[in-house]
Amino acid sequence: MDDTPGAPAHDGRARLGPLLAALTVPVTVAVLGTEATETAVTEVIVTGPGEDLDAVPGALVLAAGARGAAAVRAVTEAGRAGAAAVVLKADPAGLPAPVLAAAREAAVPVLTVTQDERWYRLAEDVRAALSRASRSATAPGTTGDLFSLAQTLATITRGVVSVEDAAGHVLAYSRSQDEADELRRLTVLGRACPEPYLKRLREQGVFQRLRSGEEVVEVPEQPDLGYRRRLVTGIAAGHRPLGTIWLQEGARPLAPNAPEALRGAARLAAPQLVDHYHQGDPSARVASRAELAHGLLTGRFDAGALAGHLGLDPSQGATVVAVDLRDPERSDAPAADLRRGEAAGIVSVHAAAFRRDALVTQACGQIYVMLPARNGDADDPAVHRWAGELVTVLRRQSGTPVQAALAGTARRLDAVPEVKARGHQALRLMARTPERAVATHTELQASLVLCDVLRLLDEHPGTRHAGLAALVAHDAEAGSDLARSLLAYLDGFGDVARTAETLTIHPNTLRYRVRKAVSISGIDLGDPDQRLVAMLQLRLAVHGRQGPAAPFPVPPATPGPTVPA
């Protein structure tokens, strides 16, 4: 039996025991009957003192304001209505004896939280845990993923997020800590926006503006109601409204890019809300764009067929941007996967805000963005600026030297895997210059060509200059550094002073090493062919096929190398 926190029951619902273990709000068990931990929980509802309950099988009942006789009645009502459990507030001494007796008589589990705990926070916590449990039992792309999207948007914007369907029912929300205002609390507890506030929004024309397109509408602070400033935008499929995303300002001002991020999140939420409206019909589920994008990026499926699912023309091109978080090499794998998943969510929001049809997926431990365009260009200044802004956000969020490579533009969608491979190779080159945030394929082209040449040379070991092979063997036997010194001298275009400084040795020492290396290898540095062969073969021997430690050297303006006197 699966006892992982929040694990679903056999019918896809969460079991009470694992669900309680998955909560972040401390909940104490006061009365728990036999087999109660296996009870399926389907929802959480909040009741007031003296409130009657209809049949609510599988509900976790939060009995707000229930004390004394009201607590006894709440427990009795929960048992009669078939609730999975009831939650009360309790003093450190525990619940009174009459409440415990009522729980045993009603045969309903009773749980407690501290007196200072807030009901809306517990409701948030339970619903998020139920969503995680549901998501683990269903295909990806369902509304459970809206919780992840809401949390990602909250992280980007420094706000408090909620997602509602077209009827105003709350589908998902971010963790709010203590930054939620009274409207947020009422909305979460009631699963819908209070009618007085809806009336004010209608009077202000907010909903009419939301139906007009992708406008981000600002709703000013409402001091008389205790409501903070908000931004809201609509979620739509074509011209059909599907819902809204609300962004409440918390303890800090919203980030400057909050409107763009909100618009991007709305575009990502649209297919998930389509799933929501087709809930219960697996044949109508919209495959997640990440799944389809991965197939396009890797070439695992026919690009023409995927293009149809993505609403793209297979003959159009796509610019590919590769992103690496640069996690520490010894990073714990599950933790690294989690960080990369969170980062992919941030990338998705930014990409959707930049280009409606942007595709984001993960592969080879990296994150890839595909920007479909008929006449796309990876060297487009707008794409370069966007990639730079994205890297800035990711570096601030992850604390690692994130880098992005503008890998190039595939002229047709079926050529995307080839461009992806260039992006992967470009990121490997950029790893040696962590201060470089973004690089284009054009900027890296010479280094990438060199990598290909070195790969071919490595694959044909019979193609070697015997004298240079003897030099490398001499270093291995004598423990000397002649080959590396000669390569540095050639890379430095014969500038003895600068090369010696780079190697942290005296110029005379470098001159001696170069003369000795020439003597052992028999290389004539006055012959350009021999210099080129020496640079390639020694680079493969000293640095491997990935090239030099600094793939972007700036050579000094000096004549070509000669044997130093």
Side-chain angles (χ1 to χ4, degrees):
M1 183 174 295
D2 184 6
D3 288 323
T4 55
H10 298 298
D11 56 2
R13 295 175 291 180
R15 292 177 284 118
L16 179 60
L19 180 69
L20 295 179
L23 299 179
T24 59
V25 173
V27 177
T28 302
V29 175
V31 176
L32 191 67
T34 306
E35 304 296 329
T37 57
E38 297 299 313
T39 301
V41 180
T42 58
E43 62 177 331
V44 55
I45 61 175
V46 183
T47 65
E51 185 175 335
D52 293 331
L53 285 175
D54 295 326
V56 287
L60 184 63
V61 177
L62 311 186
R67 295 179 177 84
V72 172
R73 189 178 188 282
V75 169
T76 301
E77 276 292 299
R80 183 190 57 76
V86 60
V87 184
L88 302 169
K89 286 191 175 182
D91 295 320
L95 292 173
V99 176
L100 297 175
R104 285 188 284 269
E105 183 176 346
V108 62
V110 176
L111 316 169
T112 64
V113 293
T114 61
Q115 292 286 355
D116 58 354
E117 189 56 65
R118 299 185 179 183
W119 288 115
Y120 86 94
R121 285 186 58 186
L122 178 57
E124 280 186 348
D125 206 16
V126 173
R127 288 188 183 122
L130 286 172
S131 173
R132 290 193 297 271
S134 174
R135 194 163 60 226
S136 68
T138 58
T142 58
T143 55
D145 291 333
L146 288 173
F147 279 90
S148 298
L149 178 61
Q151 190 58 48
T152 297
L153 181 60
T155 300
I156 294 173
T157 61
R158 303 195 294 263
V160 182
V161 178
S162 61
V163 183
E164 300 180 3
D165 64 15
H169 299 132
V170 178
L171 301 177
Y173 36 77
S174 64
R175 296 185 297 272
S176 59
Q177 305 302 330
D178 291 322
E179 298 184 355
D181 62 9
E182 185 62 21
L183 174 60
R184 162 77 173 203
R185 298 185 183 99
L186 292 173
T187 301
V188 169
L189 289 175
R191 293 307 295 255
C193 188
E195 180 56 35
Y197 189 61
L198 290 175
K199 180 180 179 182
R200 183 167 296 191
L201 293 177
R202 286 192 289 267
E203 292 171 350
Q204 295 173 347
V206 170
F207 293 114
Q208 183 176 357
R209 293 172 66 186
L210 291 177
R211 285 192 292 271
S212 65
E214 290 190 311
E215 182 180 2
V216 174
V217 180
E218 179 176 357
V219 181
E221 183 181 12
Q222 313 279 325
D224 58 320
L225 297 176
Y227 301 162
R228 295 179 180 175
R229 169 177 175 254
R230 279 169 166 75
L231 300 179
V232 57
T233 193
I235 305 169
H239 297 292
R240 178 183 175 182
L242 298 176
T244 51
I245 299 187
W246 294 81
L247 178 61
Q248 177 217 300
E249 194 165 63
R252 297 178 295 169
L254 295 175
N257 67 338
E260 291 76 14
L262 186 60
R263 189 177 294 111
R267 292 172 177 176
L268 293 175
Q272 297 182 44
L273 261 68
V274 171
D275 275 356
H276 169 67
Y277 288 114
H278 289 292
Q279 197 167 14
D281 181 5
S283 65
R285 195 184 80 79
V286 178
S288 77
R289 289 178 70 82
E291 293 173 306
L292 298 173
H294 188 272
L296 181 63
L297 182 76
T298 59
R300 292 177 56 200
F301 302 106
D302 179 71
L306 288 175
H309 285 290
L310 292 165
L312 303 174
D313 180 349
S315 65
Q316 73 181 108
T319 295
V320 179
V321 181
V323 179
D324 197 310
L325 297 185
R326 301 304 186 203
D327 265 332
E329 290 184 5
R330 296 185 179 180
S331 176
D332 176 71
D337 289 343
L338 177 61
R339 286 192 295 272
R340 192 162 52 251
E342 292 172 344
I346 293 174
V347 173
S348 296
V349 171
H350 278 272
F354 179 64
R355 192 80 61 78
R356 169 181 283 279
D357 55 2
L359 303 169
V360 178
T361 191
Q362 299 180 55
C364 305
Q366 295 159 341
I367 302 168
Y368 288 85
V369 182
M370 288 165 280
L371 303 172
R374 187 157 299 283
N375 296 305
D377 184 359
D379 290 328
D380 182 349
V383 176
H384 201 290
R385 282 194 302 273
W386 172 80
E389 293 167 358
L390 175 64
V391 168
T392 298
V393 170
L394 291 175
R395 285 188 172 190
R396 182 171 59 243
Q397 181 66 26
S398 67
T400 59
V402 180
Q403 293 181 302
L406 278 57
T409 299
R411 295 306 169 191
R412 290 177 53 89
L413 292 184
D414 55 12
V416 164
E418 179 183 345
V419 179
K420 177 263 179 187
R422 290 209 304 261
H424 182 71
Q425 184 75 298
L427 285 173
R428 295 181 69 177
L429 282 172
M430 291 176 67
R432 295 184 170 88
T433 54
E435 69 282 356
R436 192 183 185 102
V438 179
T440 68
H441 174 262
T442 301
E443 294 167 340
L444 298 173
Q445 196 165 19
S447 296
L448 291 169
V449 169
L450 178 59
C451 283
D452 288 340
V453 172
L454 293 177
R455 176 179 55 79
L456 291 172
L457 185 61
D458 186 48
E459 292 173 354
H460 297 81
T463 307
R464 294 287 189 277
H465 186 288
L468 294 170
L471 176 62
V472 173
H474 174 275
D475 277 349
E477 182 178 349
S480 54
D481 210 13
L482 301 179
R484 185 182 298 273
S485 299
L486 176 58
L487 176 60
Y489 173 74
L490 293 171
D491 283 345
F493 213 57
D495 188 325
V496 172
R498 180 177 294 186
T499 303
E501 183 179 358
T502 301
L503 296 174
T504 63
I505 59 176
H506 193 278
N508 287 340
T509 303
L510 177 61
R511 293 187 179 95
Y512 166 78
R513 289 182 180 179
V514 172
R515 288 196 299 271
K516 190 168 181 63
V518 167
S519 173
I520 293 173
S521 64
I523 286 290
D524 178 5
L525 295 184
D527 183 332
D529 288 350
Q530 295 193 48
R531 288 201 306 269
L532 177 59
V533 169
M535 292 180 73
L536 291 174
Q537 188 167 325
L538 292 180
R539 188 164 298 193
L540 182 62
V542 172
H543 297 300
R545 67 176 63 177
Q546 294 307 315
F552 312 105
V554 180
T558 57
T562 57
V563 179

